[in-house]
Amino acid sequence: CTVPGCGRTRFLHAHHVVYYSRGGPTDLDNLTLLCGEHHRALHDGLFTITADGNQIFTFADLNGRRIDYAPLLSGDVDDLSRRYRHIDPDAVTADWSGEPLDASFATDVLLRNWDLEKRRRNTDLVEAA
């Protein structure tokens, strides 16, 4: 996924920055790869993408502020296991077919749901006033 800081590499969607239905070309300078969560968030209007040419894209939040790349956390498995040794290794275990939890996707879903709930509460307060 090309959203800064995402890093997902599987099950990506090709997205037309200028929508194909609005005359956007189907060429690499107008196409970017997005994971499902970010693709939905984009179509929900939670951020924007601008094609700058040469397969370079600018991402911006709702206030127009540029979203820059967030570097990955430093450390390795041994360092993390020492830092978080109070968490049992099997604390998060899949109860389906055994594939590991995609923590990045799970975090995105939680943050999105919390944000939707916050917006829902704010709307309810405005309507009640």
Side-chain angles (χ1 to χ4, degrees):
C1 179
T2 55
V3 172
C6 181
R8 290 193 192 118
T9 59
R10 298 176 58 200
F11 311 113
L12 301 178
H13 307 174
H15 173 76
H16 288 84
V17 177
V18 176
Y19 298 152
Y20 182 75
S21 62
R22 296 184 182 156
T26 301
D27 60 34
L28 293 178
D29 287 340
N30 189 48
L31 292 170
T32 190
L33 294 174
L34 301 173
C35 65
E37 182 68 20
H38 284 120
H39 202 182
R40 285 185 294 279
L42 175 69
H43 283 284
D44 286 345
L46 299 179
F47 67 95
T48 62
I49 303 174
T50 304
D52 300 325
N54 296 321
Q55 297 180 337
I56 297 171
F57 302 93
T58 300
F59 296 80
D61 67 14
L62 294 177
N63 296 318
R65 292 180 301 234
R66 183 184 171 114
I67 301 170
D68 289 316
Y69 173 74
L72 295 174
L73 295 174
S74 63
D76 57 21
V77 172
D78 292 332
D79 178 45
L80 293 174
S81 64
R82 277 191 302 278
R83 222 183 303 172
Y84 300 105
R85 66 178 157 263
H86 61 281
I87 300 173
D88 292 329
D90 61 349
V92 180
T93 305
D95 62 356
W96 47 96
S97 59
E99 65 269 15
L101 174 71
D102 183 339
S104 176
F105 177 73
T107 303
D108 283 346
V109 170
L110 287 171
L111 290 172
R112 178 171 162 71
N113 286 340
W114 291 337
D115 183 56
L116 288 171
E117 181 61 27
K118 181 177 159 187
R119 281 196 264 154
R120 219 176 279 127
R121 270 191 249 125
N122 288 340
T123 301
D124 291 345
L125 291 173
V126 169
E127 289 175 359

